[in-house]
Amino acid sequence: MASAFGWFGPLIDLSRASSHIGDFVQLLVFVHRSFPVQCKSSKRDITRTDIEVGDDTTPYFLVSLWQKNMASMVAAGDVVLLQNFKIAKYGDAVEARTVQWSSLISLVHPHHSLLSKAVEELVTGCRVGATTKDKLRRVIKWVQQSRSTICNIKLQSNQTQQIEHLARNWTVLEEERPRDCFSLIEVSQLTTTCKAVVCASIGEIVPLHSSRTLGDTKNEKIFISKRVYRTKDGNLVDDLICTGCQLCGSPLDSKFEQSAVPLICWKSSTRLHSICSIYRPFMLYLWDESDYMPVLVKNRIAEILFGNIKAGKVYSAYKEETHSQNLGPRNECKDKDTRERTVINPRSSSEGLPSANTSEVDKDLQSEDKHLPDKFNFYRVWVILLKMLLKQGKNSPLKFEINVDPSLDIESGKFEMVSAKMPCFGTK
Ligand SMILES: [Zn+2]
């Protein structure tokens, strides 16, 4: 599909235009908008049409169309091939303009198909050479990637009927459909920012930025699964719960962390952090047969994992318990595991957790009875949930939705958990 006159000059990127001043070139561009311009000459008034165009190398560039028939062929949102256009410089501005043997071919039209169709589908339909196809591919990808900016441009074309739907001055937030991935290795190989859904098992929980746990890899203190079964690990709560913003999940409890906390909260309309007890950000190690993957989990999502129990409830129950232990010998009980079994009353629990037989336990049970259900010990329930989650290899996989941002490193949220669900497998 060449021009009737053939090609004078090469197909160039818009970024190269300034080095072709005075030359004839071919341009493959996206049309942002077109608008008529009145020009006064000594003999008569002429109307030319200017089009604002862009490509993957230069977002905005001006082209003047001096031929009336050509102006009627172009609409905002099209991808066009401008053949035999002359590059000119007026003052500091470089632009392209038509000459007698210039021509214009609309390659993608109308605008809607450009956003809804796949790149290859659009390229295959165009009868142009390989170099042109390659450039077309790049321009379409650029339009699709920067569509929110491009669609905001106010249009002033005389072809308003065709392009009315484009004249928006707000960004339409489209709910991005998450990608279904078959395995963790498929998620790890994603190169674009997106959401992915994958089934995987929980392997380990490692808290982030805990001053206590830094450098403790040898002692295995960073691995929660190793600690959750220990009866005398008083630091478990402090390592997994801290003070911070419940909205964005940023911790604020130590000098080390404060320096890394953003001043503005992007999850709040007031831009202020909402401070309370939160789950400290942690890495959740997921695994399947293909790979293992550390996924960042922040406060809100940690609540989902821990049965919708807020960190504040766990923390206050824990503090209350340690406080009452310090009050007198009656409440003193060295074996945490024994105490744990007494807190959830087996009589009121359908789970039928085993109870201990010591007289101390009976006393505890009686005192707990008076307070139930408002004295429900969220700390103990939370510990049980942690133990259940970390029964490595014994749980069925969960369905995770993961935010993928390849530009970040792992600890900053290259993979960040969005939700976790019990998968529902069909029986077909
Ligand atoms: Zn915040």
Side-chain angles (χ1 to χ4, degrees):
M1 203 156 50
S3 151
F5 298 95
W7 274 19
F8 295 89
L11 176 71
I12 62 160
D13 291 336
L14 288 177
S15 61
R16 301 272 306 139
S18 57
S19 47
H20 286 274
I21 289 161
D23 296 346
F24 290 107
V25 294
Q26 326 299 317
L27 300 169
L28 198 155
V29 291
F30 170 80
V31 181
H32 294 293
R33 58 182 189 135
S34 68
F35 46 98
V37 180
Q38 288 282 346
C39 303
K40 289 210 185 282
S41 76
S42 51
K43 291 175 192 165
R44 57 194 171 107
D45 286 355
I46 332 163
T47 306
R48 71 160 202 264
T49 301
D50 281 1
I51 55 173
E52 193 171 42
V53 301
D55 74 354
D56 52 314
T57 64
T58 303
Y60 299 102
F61 188 88
L62 198 75
V63 178
S64 301
L65 309 177
W66 289 87
Q67 291 148 8
K68 246 189 182 169
N69 64 326
M70 204 178 278
S72 64
M73 290 165 66
V74 67
D78 283 356
V79 175
V80 293
L81 178 64
L82 307 177
Q83 294 178 311
N84 305 329
F85 275 55
K86 192 171 186 176
I87 302 291
K89 192 174 182 181
Y90 301 101
D92 287 338
V94 176
E95 57 178 66
R97 52 169 296 169
T98 52
V99 291
Q100 222 174 350
W101 55 91
S102 300
S103 61
L104 182 150
I105 296 170
S106 181
L107 296 179
V108 181
H109 173 90
H111 177 70
H112 260 164
S113 61
L114 187 60
L115 295 185
S116 60
K117 286 187 181 172
V119 178
E120 284 313 312
E121 197 183 339
L122 292 163
V123 173
T124 313
C126 291
R127 290 162 57 205
V128 288
T131 322
T132 317
K133 267 191 181 169
D134 182 53
K135 177 67 186 173
L136 178 61
R137 207 170 275 127
R138 281 187 280 136
V139 171
I140 293 171
K141 277 185 188 165
W142 167 72
V143 174
Q144 291 183 342
Q145 277 162 14
S146 47
R147 68 167 101 169
S148 58
T149 346
I150 290 171
C151 291
N152 282 344
I153 292 160
K154 186 128 186 164
L155 298 154
Q156 297 173 354
S157 168
N158 47 2
Q159 293 153 312
T160 41
Q161 276 185 332
Q162 279 182 8
I163 50 179
E164 222 166 28
H165 57 277
L166 279 170
R168 287 195 194 110
N169 62 351
W170 68 91
T171 312
V172 179
L173 283 177
E174 286 181 28
E175 190 59 42
E176 191 194 351
R177 272 174 64 109
R179 293 186 195 198
D180 278 316
C181 292
F182 290 107
S183 61
L184 286 176
I185 201 153
E186 199 180 328
V187 179
S188 68
Q189 286 169 351
L190 290 171
T191 52
T192 51
T193 306
C194 61
K195 282 197 175 87
V197 170
V198 68
C199 281
S201 298
I202 293 175
E204 188 57 83
I205 288 177
V206 176
L208 264 187
H209 305 321
S210 163
S211 47
R212 193 197 330 280
T213 52
L214 282 175
D216 270 347
T217 37
K218 277 183 192 163
N219 302 332
E220 294 183 330
K221 279 191 187 170
I222 62 162
F223 303 121
I224 297 300
S225 71
K226 298 282 190 291
R227 295 167 56 188
V228 78
Y229 286 98
R230 274 183 217 150
T231 51
K232 290 181 184 174
D233 193 342
N235 295 330
L236 191 65
V237 166
D238 290 329
D239 285 347
L240 282 171
I241 294 175
C242 65
T243 306
C245 173
Q246 62 169 331
L247 302 175
C248 65
S250 306
L252 287 157
D253 68 332
S254 74
K255 280 179 186 171
F256 173 76
E257 282 153 3
Q258 272 172 2
S259 62
V261 167
L263 288 172
I264 288 171
C265 183
W266 294 106
K267 292 276 167 125
S268 156
S269 56
T270 60
R271 297 288 177 253
L272 296 171
H273 292 295
S274 170
I275 308 297
C276 61
S277 287
I278 62 159
Y279 292 109
R280 186 188 294 281
F282 60 81
M283 302 308 296
L284 183 71
Y285 280 76
L286 303 179
W287 63 274
D288 67 3
E289 279 163 12
S290 72
D291 205 356
Y292 79 94
M293 173 184 283
V295 176
L296 180 66
V297 180
K298 288 186 177 174
N299 182 49
R300 281 273 167 103
I301 308 304
E303 282 174 13
I304 295 175
L305 270 185
F306 301 139
N308 282 333
I309 302 177
K310 290 192 183 304
K313 286 187 172 171
V314 176
Y315 192 72
S316 55
Y318 170 72
K319 281 293 159 195
E320 210 167 293
E321 191 174 296
T322 44
H323 179 69
S324 63
Q325 277 169 44
N326 296 335
L327 281 181
R330 199 189 70 81
N331 288 316
E332 209 172 276
C333 187
K334 288 277 153 66
D335 184 358
K336 280 201 169 188
D337 218 35
T338 311
R339 279 187 286 119
E340 199 159 281
R341 274 175 259 153
T342 67
V343 171
I344 295 186
N345 188 341
R347 278 169 280 170
S348 65
S349 162
S350 59
E351 299 295 316
L353 288 164
S355 70
N357 294 323
T358 61
S359 57
E360 191 125 291
V361 168
D362 286 341
K363 278 184 201 169
D364 274 4
L365 272 176
Q366 283 161 15
S367 67
E368 286 292 329
D369 266 355
K370 289 176 197 163
H371 300 296
L372 280 172
D374 49 315
K375 277 286 176 184
F376 191 74
N377 191 323
F378 283 103
Y379 164 63
R380 291 301 170 80
V381 178
W382 175 72
V383 172
I384 291 168
L385 280 168
L386 257 183
K387 286 183 179 177
M388 281 164 52
L389 283 174
L390 293 170
K391 275 191 176 295
Q392 293 163 341
K394 292 187 179 162
N395 289 325
S396 51
L398 293 176
K399 196 173 196 174
F400 292 97
E401 190 174 333
I402 297 168
N403 226 353
V404 181
D405 186 347
S407 66
L408 300 173
D409 58 36
I410 297 273
E411 294 204 341
S412 307
K414 181 174 186 176
F415 307 109
E416 185 174 341
M417 195 175 127
V418 180
S419 70
K421 288 176 191 157
M422 295 287 252
C424 182
F425 295 110
T427 49
K428 281 177 196 172

